[in-house]
């Protein structure tokens, strides 16, 4: 009985390690199911000029010349394909990737991702276009767009605190199991 209680506690502790499903910095975008992925331009509040590309697509959605609601069909993708949205800031020549900060020259995450944005079933992405903006300190509204048929997946590198919590929970389960006759 004690082992069952501890295993339940372990599962609860591991669930705490999971990233939030709503808004996250550094999340990767993945295709949810086989099919087309459609982008929609949602707006821009940037002083700089920028364009977007996804997985090598042509440069699309010039932020100061694109009407809100303009769409672009990226084409057909298989489920699980990782999408790399890249923002090119024309004034500075800097490029920023969606996903973990390790993909960017300054080491910071430059894209905020919100899954099921406003209950629409779409994944919203907002970029910060300034170099050396620490995680969480940007406005993430410099170039915004949304995707159909996508999901946000936390960066594959767990945070040290999450690893420590998971290790403690698994270690406790091992101790209880070892004590049983």
């Amino acid at each position: 009985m004690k082992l069952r209680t501890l295993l339940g506690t372990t599962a609860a502790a591991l669930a705490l390690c999971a990233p939030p499903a709503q808004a996250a910095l550094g999340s990767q975008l993945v295709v949810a199911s086989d099919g087309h992925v459609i982008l929609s331009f949602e707006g821009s509040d940037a002083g700089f000029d920028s364009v977007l590309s996804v997985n090598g697509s042509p440069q699309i959605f010039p932020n100061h010349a694109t009407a809100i609601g303009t769409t672009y069909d990226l084409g057909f993708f298989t489920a699980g394909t990782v999408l790399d949205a890249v923002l090119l800031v024309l004034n500075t020549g800097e490029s920023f990737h969606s996903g973990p900060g390790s993909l960017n020259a300054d080491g910071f995450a430059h894209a905020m991702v919100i899954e099921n944005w406003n209950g629409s079933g779409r994944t919203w992405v907002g970029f910060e276009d300034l170099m050396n903006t620490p995680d969480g300190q940007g406005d993430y509204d410099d170039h915004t767009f949304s995707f159909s048929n996508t999901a946000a997946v936390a960066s594959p590198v767990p945070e040290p605190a999450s690893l420590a919590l998971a290790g403690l929970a698994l270690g406790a389960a091992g101790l209880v199991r070892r004590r049983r006759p």
Side-chain angles (χ1 to χ4, degrees), residues 160-175:
S162 298
L163 288 175
L165 181 60
L168 284 173
L170 292 173
L175 283 174

Side-chain angles (χ1 to χ4, degrees), residues 36-43 52 54 57-62 65-75 117 122-123 143-149:
H36 282 255
V37 174
I38 309 294
L39 266 84
S40 181
F41 183 71
E42 302 296 346
L52 179 72
V54 180
S57 74
Q59 294 178 342
I60 55 173
F61 297 161
T66 303
I68 292 174
T70 300
T71 61
Y72 183 84
D73 186 342
L74 285 172
W117 175 54
R122 298 181 66 80
T123 304
H143 203 124
T144 65
F145 49 95
S146 63
F147 289 90
S148 68
N149 190 23

Side-chain angles (χ1 to χ4, degrees), residues 1-180:
M1 187 67 158
K2 287 183 182 180
L3 179 59
R4 181 176 294 152
T5 302
L6 184 59
L7 289 177
T9 304
T10 301
L14 290 173
L16 289 174
C17 297
Q22 268 305 75
L25 278 173
S27 290
Q28 290 184 315
L29 298 161
V30 295
V31 176
S33 60
D34 291 355
H36 282 255
V37 174
I38 309 294
L39 266 84
S40 181
F41 183 71
E42 302 296 346
S44 173
D45 192 27
F48 291 143
D49 296 320
S50 57
V51 292
L52 179 72
S53 68
V54 180
N55 288 28
S57 74
Q59 294 178 342
I60 55 173
F61 297 161
N63 63 329
H64 292 128
T66 303
I68 292 174
T70 300
T71 61
Y72 183 84
D73 186 342
L74 285 172
F76 183 90
F77 291 90
T78 57
T81 300
V82 175
L83 299 176
D84 180 24
V86 180
L87 182 73
L88 173 60
V89 182
L90 301 173
N91 307 76
T92 64
E94 301 291 345
S95 291
F96 301 109
H97 295 260
S98 58
S102 60
L103 298 175
N104 297 314
D106 61 3
F108 296 117
H110 280 263
M112 174 71 68
V113 177
I114 301 175
E115 198 168 31
N116 194 24
W117 175 54
N118 291 337
S120 67
R122 298 181 66 80
T123 304
W124 178 91
V125 179
F127 267 99
E128 171 56 51
D129 66 1
L130 295 176
M131 182 67 101
N132 296 315
T133 302
D135 289 347
Q137 293 187 16
D139 53 19
Y140 305 99
D141 65 355
D142 296 322
H143 203 124
T144 65
F145 49 95
S146 63
F147 289 90
S148 68
N149 190 23
T150 57
V153 176
S155 175
V157 179
E159 295 179 17
S162 298
L163 288 175
L165 181 60
L168 284 173
L170 292 173
L175 283 174
V176 168
R177 185 164 167 78
R178 198 176 91 187
R179 292 175 119 180
R180 291 190 62 118

